[in-house]
Amino acid sequence: MSGRLATVGYRIAHAIPVILGVVVVSFLLTRALPGDPAVYFAGPAADEASIAQIRTALGLDKSLPEQFFVYAGDVLSGDLGQSISTGQPVLSDLANRLPASLELTLTALLLSCAIAIPLGVLAATRPGTTVDHLCRVLVTAGVSLPTFFTGVVLIYVFYYLLGIAPSPLGRLDFIYIEPDHVTGFYLIDAAIAGDWETWIGAVKQLILPAITLALFTLAPLARMTRAAMLSALSSDYIRTARAAGLTENKVLFTYAFRNALLPVITTLGMVFSFTLGANVLVEKVFAWPGIGSYAVEALVVSDYAAVQGFVLAMALLFVALNLIIDIAYTLIDPRIGFETR
Amino acid sequence: MGKQMSLLSLRDLKVDFETRKGTVNAVRGVSLEVGKGEIVGIVGESGSGKSVTSYALMRLLDKGGTISGGDLAYGGIDLKSAKESTMRDLRGREISMIFQNPRAALNPIRKVGHQIEDVLRRHAKATRANARAEAIKALKAVRINDAENRYEAYPFELSGGMCQRIVIAIALACDPKLLIADEPTTGLDITTQKAVMDLIADLIVERGMSAMVITHDLGLAAQYCSRIVVMKDGEVVEAGSARKLFSSPEHPYTQKLVDATPRAGVSVRELLLPELRTPMPLTQIVETPLLEVRDLYKTYKGKSGPVHAVNGLSFAIKKGQSVGLVGESGCGKSTTSSMLVRLLDSTKGEILFKGEDLAAIPAKQFARDPRRASIQMVFQDATDSFNPRHTARQIIGEPLARLSPLNRSARKARIDELADLVGLPVALLDRFPHQLSGGQKARVGIARAIALEPEFLVLDEPTAALDVSIQAIVLNLLVDLRAKLGISYLFVSHDLNVVRLLCDEVIVMKAGEIVESGPAEQIMSSPDHPYTRTLLEAAPHPPVLSSQAAKAAE
């Protein structure tokens, strides 16, 4: 067990240089973007002198290394700069918008796992049957329909035709009051405040975009679960377990499923990363005030500070995510701690 | 045995498999009985249906397999029509099974102790409260030292032999009455094989169990089983006592198997069918050494200090000579052979090939050395050493394309010539590895190794994965090639009986050092070192071997 703890510590220590690298890359990346923020700031009527003045005010006339150290110092003190387009500190923008995206993505993934994993297991234990075919159809449909299309179809059916869903305009209908900011997740904050009416309102808003994303992420998870279960079920140790007379449930869950979980977790990590980055479209369709749409808007107007803040936040999120996946892996698979020792 | 009631009885058992190419009759009417306290061996080569028979009686056939006829009875229970729930109660409690490849047979991410507990709890032999104690007891029963700590181990932390003990512990945890051992020692070292088989045999006697030992090794079956059933193509061709099968086999197939089993006192030609026994070719050995190893070391950085894989080896191989390198896994024989074929750098020492030191050339650069063609290797697992997307022709042609000046048409001619040399029908050259049989793959591997007319060939257990009758043919092929082409061999193996057939001299290695070396016959008949004696004793000793012993038996 101490070996595993050491492995976890090792992984955490490994994350530090990655984070340093990310700070450097996010700085350089935004400098490499085309467009001059000083010109944008100065407005269309500015002359050379006022642009130069603004450039000095923004610190853009200094050399790159100097700019970097100023930036790094600011990052350390928690100052990510001021967004040009929203006029707010980037940090507070991110603090508002990141939870919105995370809430959507995590709900979608939970939903997706809740359907995909049992479906994959069922398909693997009954290959060639109706369940298996159903799984294949659902998976193909989910992956071949683009999210903005499923999103629009869902809105059309459930909001326009059936009138079950609320209007797709953000995280909460205007009749509810936003819960006090604790975590930024409306579901959690409303639950903490004990405001169940708001909670239900938030769920209603969340359900359609979450289903849209879940349908899209269903495919890789269900496919991987099915494949991993099939290979686990055909392995020698399953034969041993069956030859020892273990019950089918024991064989399926304690023996096969735990082994099959390893590739599924890897896939889950990958799916999470690309969903977080790719849910801009869903955010746009449902007017969701998420981080994806924020970044796109900032990018269009060369909003350095906002883009930098976004890149940094995403990178940190991915580092944290990979760390969590590594740790989950270490906890499930005893062989991992052994290899790094 | 008299009127003992049989515990297990198979009558006219038939098993079919539905495949894409239609129905395959894997077992075609097998009848056999296992009496109480009896150990029955089922011997046959791959594809004989011996494993399928045992899976059928456990009702654990792979997908697509069905019992299509016959009767299966275990102690009055009809196994053929028993409900699945009844079968689950029987498995592990009444009938248990142990498997080949023990490491894969254990759940890789579950503590071995818990895996034993699962079985105990399933069959109500332990409760949550005493499961741990009972599991440790089961570990002790298979003679595992330090059972309390081993309980916490995962399979990857244990050696192959230890894993097999765990598999046995799982199988025997609930005191079954019948044990089925499916190739229990394939892939294990010869000394481990003996330890595991002795343990199984002891436990069977101790607990008054019956057993069915399924193996391709007639010698092993003969040593441990009272009665042997020989199977071929899904049918029983002969059954009888081990003694009788060896001394006077009735069926020609049994005779062929007996003949092909490597054993003391026979030449490599005698492994073949009588009509194939051509006279032994003459080999010429030149006195000057072709390869000389001086004080060779290989040290790895280990978790706790350096590991001396090879520790000061010195030996010489003459031109045209065949030298055997014998030892258990971990003795450094594979490391040595890798260094000799220049796939691995040595830490210290000289490898003189025709007087020039090869150890001075880094292994990475040796691929471009002109002497690369002179030193070649035949790998242990033919399947794994081939690119599955290459045809046999491409596999054999690869070294020619890289290292010989031949053009395309000359290469094609050379490949045909090589196929002819190793006895591979030219028509098979355009097949992919998975379309070839084990023996054919071995021939392709040999053809590839000799394509560049090497002077020195390292053979790393080239027949370990082959059936005995195919092994006999491949060994003879190697003898012929050596005489025809004048190649020197270094034959790496753990099986002294095989090495003896092919080698003039034998080097016995243990823990990275040579413990004994000398002429093969001398080492086989009067070994000096106790370790050599252990190795020799560990090899299965069929009851009746040489002709004089056969006479003595009468």
Side-chain angles (χ1 to χ4, degrees):
Chain A
M1 214 51 204
S2 66
R4 286 198 196 177
L5 278 180
T7 316
V8 172
Y10 182 75
R11 290 284 141 105
I12 291 175
H14 249 205
I16 292 167
V18 177
I19 292 171
L20 289 180
V22 160
V23 172
V24 175
V25 170
S26 79
F27 171 80
L28 289 178
L29 214 62
T30 40
R31 293 298 180 258
L33 289 175
D36 189 341
V39 175
Y40 178 83
F41 236 112
D47 55 12
E48 284 292 318
S50 60
I51 291 176
Q53 201 183 343
I54 286 166
R55 185 167 286 136
T56 318
L58 290 172
L60 292 173
D61 56 339
K62 298 198 179 91
S63 70
L64 266 189
E66 266 180 284
Q67 285 187 42
F68 176 72
F69 281 112
V70 172
Y71 170 66
D74 286 349
V75 168
L76 272 183
S77 60
D79 178 12
L80 293 178
Q82 199 87 12
S83 166
I84 304 168
S85 36
T86 64
Q88 299 280 322
V90 173
L91 195 65
S92 74
D93 274 350
L94 290 178
N96 279 329
R97 287 181 165 250
L98 191 59
S101 283
L102 280 179
E103 188 169 43
L104 174 60
T105 312
L106 286 175
T107 313
L109 280 183
L110 272 180
L111 203 64
S112 171
C113 285
I115 301 168
I117 293 178
L119 195 66
V121 171
L122 275 176
T125 47
R126 296 167 179 76
T129 58
T130 327
V131 188
D132 195 14
H133 294 310
L134 180 77
C135 172
R136 191 166 302 140
V137 169
L138 204 63
V139 155
T140 318
V143 81
S144 49
L145 297 175
T147 44
F148 59 84
F149 177 74
T150 13
V152 170
V153 168
L154 287 179
I155 290 172
Y156 179 72
V157 173
F158 290 97
Y159 169 65
Y160 181 76
L161 287 185
L162 300 177
I164 307 171
S167 54
L169 291 171
R171 300 177 75 184
L172 210 51
D173 206 327
F174 62 91
I175 57 165
Y176 301 102
I177 304 155
E178 275 186 33
D180 295 334
H181 186 98
V182 184
T183 57
F185 291 75
Y186 281 7
L187 291 184
I188 297 174
D189 288 354
I192 291 173
D195 184 355
W196 296 108
E197 229 175 292
T198 309
W199 192 85
I200 289 171
V203 169
K204 277 185 180 168
Q205 292 288 339
L206 187 61
I207 201 92
L208 281 194
I211 288 177
T212 311
L213 265 184
L215 274 177
F216 187 61
T217 52
L218 201 66
L221 288 174
R223 292 306 286 175
M224 188 44 87
T225 309
R226 181 178 179 273
M229 268 311 269
L230 274 180
S231 84
L233 280 173
S234 65
S235 59
D236 283 5
Y237 53 84
I238 295 299
R239 192 182 54 188
T240 313
R242 290 218 165 106
L246 298 189
T247 55
E248 200 54 30
N249 277 342
K250 187 93 185 170
V251 170
L252 221 51
F253 295 105
T254 315
Y255 281 70
F257 185 63
R258 261 197 68 188
N259 276 285
L261 214 51
L262 295 169
V264 173
I265 285 180
T266 317
T267 316
L268 189 63
M270 274 156 49
V271 168
F272 186 90
S273 327
F274 76 63
T275 321
L276 204 56
N279 60 10
V280 186
L281 292 173
V282 179
E283 288 178 5
K284 285 279 176 203
V285 169
F286 290 90
W288 199 261
I291 196 170
S293 42
Y294 176 72
V296 170
E297 281 156 23
L299 202 59
V300 170
V301 298
S302 309
D303 189 350
Y304 266 17
V307 174
Q308 243 168 19
F310 168 76
V311 171
L312 191 64
M314 286 308 249
L316 288 180
L317 205 62
F318 286 160
V319 168
L321 177 74
N322 277 318
L323 197 66
I324 291 169
I325 287 170
D326 273 357
I327 292 171
Y329 237 92
T330 316
L331 293 180
I332 296 176
D333 191 343
R335 288 166 292 187
I336 287 182
F338 184 78
E339 281 160 14
T340 50
R341 241 180 288 160
Chain B
M1 256 155 258
K3 282 190 54 141
Q4 256 184 348
M5 199 192 105
S6 70
L7 185 67
L8 175 81
S9 121
L10 273 60
R11 205 149 300 140
D12 201 26
L13 175 73
K14 291 190 179 81
V15 180
D16 292 345
F17 277 92
E18 295 296 333
T19 67
R20 259 182 282 174
K21 288 174 190 160
T23 309
V24 174
N25 310 108
V27 176
R28 301 187 285 188
V30 164
S31 302
L32 64 92
E33 311 260 315
V34 180
K36 279 194 179 129
E38 196 183 16
I39 305 182
V40 175
I42 301 187
V43 179
E45 297 187 295
S46 37
S48 62
K50 57 190 192 305
S51 292
V52 175
T53 305
S54 66
Y55 289 123
L57 73 90
M58 287 289 270
R59 289 258 303 274
L60 282 175
L61 287 170
D62 284 338
K63 229 179 117 42
T66 45
I67 300 172
S68 55
D71 288 311
L72 279 165
Y74 167 82
I77 305 167
D78 178 7
L79 295 182
K80 195 180 146 202
S81 56
K83 271 192 284 189
E84 183 56 28
S85 58
T86 317
M87 284 311 297
R88 256 187 225 136
D89 288 340
L90 286 178
R91 286 182 210 135
R93 201 185 65 198
E94 292 287 332
I95 312 174
S96 268
M97 208 163 169
I98 54 182
F99 304 92
Q100 60 176 318
N101 197 358
R103 206 186 294 274
L106 292 170
N107 186 345
I109 59 171
R110 197 164 170 76
K111 285 177 183 167
V112 295
H114 291 168
Q115 300 191 40
I116 299 173
E117 276 182 16
D118 287 340
V119 189
L120 287 166
R121 303 261 315 267
R122 164 67 180 90
H123 296 295
K125 297 279 180 180
T127 59
R128 186 186 283 274
N130 69 357
R132 188 189 164 91
E134 288 293 320
I136 290 173
K137 215 189 276 176
L139 286 172
K140 283 183 178 152
V142 292
R143 324 254 156 88
I144 287 177
N145 297 326
D146 197 14
E148 283 83 2
N149 284 328
R150 290 285 179 250
Y151 172 93
E152 305 283 344
Y154 291 97
F156 72 96
E157 295 169 314
L158 303 172
S159 69
M162 195 60 91
C163 281
Q164 190 59 292
R165 278 169 204 260
I166 307 281
V167 174
I168 297 171
I170 290 175
L172 299 187
C174 298
D175 272 319
K177 297 194 182 63
L178 176 66
L179 177 71
I180 301 170
D182 184 10
E183 303 267 11
T185 59
T186 310
L188 299 180
D189 265 330
I190 202 139
T191 44
T192 318
Q193 163 171 314
K194 183 172 160 58
V196 166
M197 282 310 296
D198 285 351
L199 173 70
I200 295 175
D202 286 356
L203 289 171
I204 287 170
V205 174
E206 225 168 77
R207 302 179 179 208
M209 290 189 293
S210 308
M212 226 164 98
V213 178
I214 297 161
T215 175
H216 67 279
D217 187 340
L218 197 54
L220 186 83
Q223 187 176 358
Y224 290 97
C225 304
S226 44
R227 209 152 52 79
I228 292 179
V229 175
V230 181
M231 280 185 72
K232 183 183 189 269
D233 297 334
E235 282 167 353
V236 173
V237 297
E238 192 169 354
S241 74
R243 189 169 288 273
K244 185 187 146 277
L245 281 191
F246 260 89
S247 55
S248 54
E250 279 166 17
H251 196 276
Y253 180 72
T254 317
Q255 178 72 54
K256 186 177 151 193
L257 276 186
V258 170
D259 284 347
T261 305
R263 56 208 184 270
V266 293
S267 78
V268 66
R269 282 291 191 255
E270 284 170 78
L271 300 183
L272 294 173
L273 292 175
E275 61 267 28
L276 295 175
R277 290 178 196 163
T278 51
M280 279 290 273
L282 284 174
T283 47
Q284 280 195 324
I285 299 173
V286 183
E287 274 307 305
T288 49
L290 176 76
L291 184 103
E292 210 178 341
V293 175
R294 281 191 200 152
D295 218 20
L296 192 66
Y297 284 87
K298 179 71 195 179
T299 311
Y300 290 105
K301 274 185 214 127
K303 268 177 275 166
S304 46
V307 178
H308 303 285
V310 173
N311 211 354
L313 281 198
S314 298
F315 61 89
I317 300 173
K318 297 182 190 115
K319 188 159 173 51
Q321 195 183 29
S322 172
V323 175
L325 189 59
V326 183
E328 288 178 283
S329 48
C331 76
K333 59 185 197 296
S334 294
T335 310
T336 307
S337 59
S338 296
M339 285 192 289
L340 293 190
V341 289
R342 304 306 302 137
L343 293 173
L344 185 71
D345 282 318
S346 52
T347 310
K348 208 171 85 182
E350 293 179 325
I351 301 168
L352 298 177
F353 182 70
K354 295 205 258 179
E356 293 167 64
D357 186 14
L358 296 183
I361 304 163
K364 271 185 190 163
Q365 284 166 27
F366 195 73
R368 284 186 293 277
D369 194 282
R371 286 164 296 189
R372 171 74 284 173
S374 314
I375 302 175
Q376 291 288 313
M377 184 160 181
V378 178
F379 297 92
Q380 175 170 10
D381 192 323
T383 317
D384 282 352
S385 69
F386 294 154
N387 183 338
R389 301 243 162 250
H390 278 184
T391 61
R393 182 181 294 283
Q394 286 169 309
I395 290 164
I396 301 172
E398 183 94 44
L400 290 171
R402 291 194 178 275
L403 293 168
S404 79
L406 300 179
N407 62 24
R408 186 177 274 274
S409 58
R411 274 211 302 276
K412 189 175 177 303
R414 173 70 180 149
I415 294 169
D416 288 346
E417 187 191 345
L418 284 164
D420 191 44
L421 203 57
V422 297
L424 186 73
V426 176
L428 298 182
L429 278 176
D430 293 312
R431 291 203 185 172
F432 290 96
H434 69 92
Q435 296 167 316
L436 298 170
S437 71
Q440 287 159 352
K441 277 185 279 198
R443 287 176 204 266
V444 174
I446 293 169
R448 174 174 64 179
I450 61 168
L452 295 164
E453 299 180 318
E455 292 170 81
F456 177 56
L457 199 57
V458 173
L459 300 144
D460 185 8
E461 309 235 18
T463 61
L466 300 177
D467 280 328
V468 276
S469 61
I470 308 295
Q471 168 175 284
I473 294 168
V474 171
L475 289 176
N476 275 286
L477 171 68
L478 289 170
V479 167
D480 292 340
L481 286 175
R482 177 184 155 210
K484 218 180 275 179
L485 307 172
I487 313 177
S488 307
Y489 286 166
L490 181 73
F491 192 94
V492 182
S493 178
H494 68 272
D495 191 341
L496 269 168
N497 274 324
V498 174
V499 168
R500 186 192 58 83
L501 293 168
L502 217 65
C503 301
D504 317 309
E505 280 195 28
V506 175
I507 298 167
V508 182
M509 266 184 89
K510 189 191 180 193
E513 289 170 24
I514 295 177
V515 296
E516 188 170 0
S517 67
E521 284 310 323
Q522 181 197 320
I523 290 202
M524 293 295 288
S525 53
S526 55
D528 276 335
H529 198 278
Y531 179 69
T532 316
R533 276 197 288 273
T534 317
L535 280 183
L536 280 171
E537 274 160 26
H541 292 282
V544 190
L545 279 179
S546 53
S547 50
Q548 67 250 63
K551 267 175 225 144
E554 273 162 21

